[in-house]
Amino acid sequence: MIRVAHLSKTYGEVTVLKDISLSVAKGEVISIIGPSGTGKSTFLRCLNLLEQPSGGSIAVDGIDLLDKKSDIPRIRQRMNMVFQSFNLFSHLTALENLTIGPVRLLGINKQEAEQKALEILKLVGLAEKADSFPDELSGGQKQRVAIARCLAMNPEIILFDEPTSALDPTMVSEVLAVIRRLAKDGMTMLIVTHEMDFARDVSSRVLYMDEGLIYEEGTPQQIFENPQKEKTRAFINRIRSFNYCISSADYDLYAMNAEIEIFCERQILPRKTRHNLLLLVEELLQIHTPLLATTALDLTIAYSEKKESLEIILENRGEAVNLLDKDRLPDELGLNIITHLAQQIDYQRCEEINRVTVTLKQG
């Protein structure tokens, strides 16, 4: 239904979208997630030609949107958009907001347009607000009117640009309920959202965007339960990380510990957790110190806000060796301490890099 190939968008010297390609089938619900400022909203606006792409192609049912001969107003009627800021006409009632487009653009007579508008307002639970003006509605009600206005144009595709970002938490669920119903009815939708649970429940596919690219895509289960790429994993699990490079056996342990303490304070970690983390880091580094004669050690501490878990990751280049192998250090006191504090210990060899990941035991 929609085919995007090598789409790009630049503003002067700033590149917002880089080589995006995507196909969307009829009835698909695609959620687009990712950090702020990564081009998600710009991507939607390019699809609807509210922003002119700098390169690439967009086709809807084989019609090239970037062809100067294409009927863009007609295509916009088929692919309508719901904005985060509602964009309702403040001088018109809810009913009038729904009828103005069908009457002026589709040529439907006023009586027929009003009858259909009332049916759609009933669908979104706002029939009693038909004669209310936007400033008499709550944020959630305004957004539902905006969705109803979109439906009044008989779209085949709806683009949602963060439809709940301007709402109080109490109003979010009422808007998401309407979008869920549309998904159930088979509407083709692309939704930029920060509502992760909603994206998991309603989507047939999820795109994770980062740095102007579709960094990873897959089913909700793949993206939310088993992301394959590090940035996706960090975003989904809301991971905060601390990084420290140790290039010599004479590194300043006290300075490093002070930085780790600051990191722990920012995550509001309990005192016992901080103590165990520092002890675990110290014992791990003690065992790995012999490697510092020939290579540097990269230390990463990753805290998952979602899982409330802490991982310590040590990486070094060199020959394949796992210094935490029990067969190498069967009577090592430090290894016993590590085993006592660790919930899980994992060793991987990746492209000439040794990676040891230790998960701190919770509680």
Side-chain angles (χ1 to χ4, degrees):
M1 194 169 193
I2 304 174
R3 186 176 296 276
V4 179
H6 309 296
L7 186 71
S8 64
K9 177 62 181 177
T10 59
Y11 296 96
E13 297 181 356
V14 179
T15 300
V16 180
L17 298 177
K18 309 171 187 175
D19 195 25
I20 289 183
S21 296
L22 176 70
S23 293
V24 182
K26 184 177 177 60
E28 268 200 293
V29 178
I30 296 181
S31 289
I32 305 171
I33 63 173
S36 298
T38 55
K40 304 184 299 297
S41 294
T42 301
F43 176 50
L44 284 197
R45 293 176 67 85
C46 282
L47 288 183
N48 210 23
L49 295 190
L50 294 175
E51 296 283 356
Q52 186 67 28
S54 302
S57 64
I58 304 169
V60 177
D61 287 339
I63 300 172
D64 183 358
L65 270 64
L66 303 184
D67 187 336
K68 293 181 179 179
K69 298 178 182 178
S70 295
D71 186 350
I72 300 307
R74 173 59 187 151
I75 292 171
R76 283 194 180 129
Q77 290 170 19
R78 296 178 59 192
M79 185 165 60
N80 224 311
M81 191 162 181
V82 176
F83 301 88
Q84 57 183 297
S85 54
F86 321 132
N87 286 12
L88 298 176
F89 294 110
S90 60
H91 65 290
L92 301 180
T93 65
L95 183 67
E96 290 168 339
N97 265 281
L98 266 65
T99 58
I100 188 171
V103 169
R104 292 190 179 183
L105 300 177
L106 302 183
I108 298 175
N109 68 65
K110 186 176 180 181
Q111 184 177 358
E112 183 183 346
E114 287 181 350
Q115 183 178 349
K116 182 179 178 181
L118 285 170
E119 291 174 0
I120 296 173
L121 284 173
K122 184 176 181 180
L123 177 71
V124 299
L126 290 173
E128 64 179 4
K129 298 292 185 180
D131 296 323
S132 298
F133 289 91
D135 62 3
E136 297 172 325
L137 303 175
S138 70
Q141 290 170 338
K142 289 178 185 177
Q143 193 61 289
R144 281 187 282 160
V145 170
I147 295 172
R149 180 182 60 180
C150 178
L151 292 173
M153 296 296 292
N154 294 320
E156 299 170 31
I157 304 160
I158 303 180
L159 310 176
F160 289 90
D161 185 12
E162 299 191 42
T164 61
S165 65
L167 303 179
D168 293 334
T170 54
M171 301 175 185
V172 169
S173 60
E174 63 191 64
V175 173
L176 297 185
V178 173
I179 299 175
R180 281 192 176 94
R181 177 165 183 170
L182 295 176
K184 187 177 180 180
D185 291 342
M187 177 65 72
T188 305
M189 296 185 285
L190 283 83
I191 309 167
V192 171
T193 182
H194 288 290
E195 302 288 339
M196 296 298 104
D197 290 338
F198 169 73
R200 180 199 294 264
D201 293 344
V202 79
S203 308
S204 50
R205 195 158 30 127
V206 177
L207 311 181
Y208 173 73
M209 285 188 65
D210 204 327
E211 297 181 358
L213 296 165
I214 297 176
Y215 185 75
E216 186 171 355
E217 65 176 290
T219 65
Q221 183 177 10
Q222 290 172 327
I223 295 297
F224 289 104
E225 296 181 17
N226 189 31
Q228 298 299 301
K229 297 190 176 182
E230 191 63 33
K231 286 184 179 180
T232 315
R233 178 174 169 269
F235 180 81
I236 295 299
N237 292 318
R238 298 189 292 275
I239 292 176
R240 306 289 183 265
S241 61
F242 166 85
N243 300 287
Y244 199 89
C245 180
I246 303 169
S247 57
S248 154
D250 297 323
Y251 69 95
D252 190 335
L253 174 65
Y254 298 103
M256 183 191 71
N257 283 351
E259 292 189 36
I260 294 175
E261 282 276 14
I262 293 172
F263 171 77
C264 291
E265 287 175 5
R266 287 175 179 166
Q267 316 315 316
I268 319 177
L269 299 179
R271 184 172 295 277
K272 182 181 178 182
T273 300
R274 300 183 200 181
H275 171 78
N276 289 344
L277 175 64
L278 288 169
L279 179 57
L280 187 52
V281 168
E282 187 172 346
E283 295 299 336
L284 284 168
L285 292 178
Q286 186 66 35
I287 288 177
H288 284 80
T289 295
L291 296 177
L292 292 171
T294 56
T295 184
L297 280 173
D298 288 318
L299 167 68
T300 300
I301 299 173
Y303 172 66
S304 170
E305 179 184 337
K306 182 178 179 181
K307 297 180 179 179
E308 295 186 343
S309 64
L310 274 164
E311 286 184 346
I312 302 166
I313 304 161
L314 280 174
E315 293 182 330
N316 73 281
R317 289 188 174 274
E319 64 180 69
V321 56
N322 178 12
L323 295 183
L324 298 185
D325 187 340
K326 292 182 179 179
D327 293 334
R328 291 179 58 93
L329 303 167
D331 300 318
E332 173 65 43
L333 175 61
L335 186 58
N336 291 335
I337 294 173
I338 292 168
T339 304
H340 175 71
L341 293 173
Q343 180 175 314
Q344 183 177 340
I345 300 174
D346 179 59
Y347 169 79
Q348 291 180 322
R349 176 74 174 174
C350 306
E351 299 179 354
E352 299 185 356
I353 295 177
N354 297 304
R355 177 183 296 156
V356 172
T357 304
V358 180
T359 306
L360 182 67
K361 191 177 293 182
Q362 298 184 25

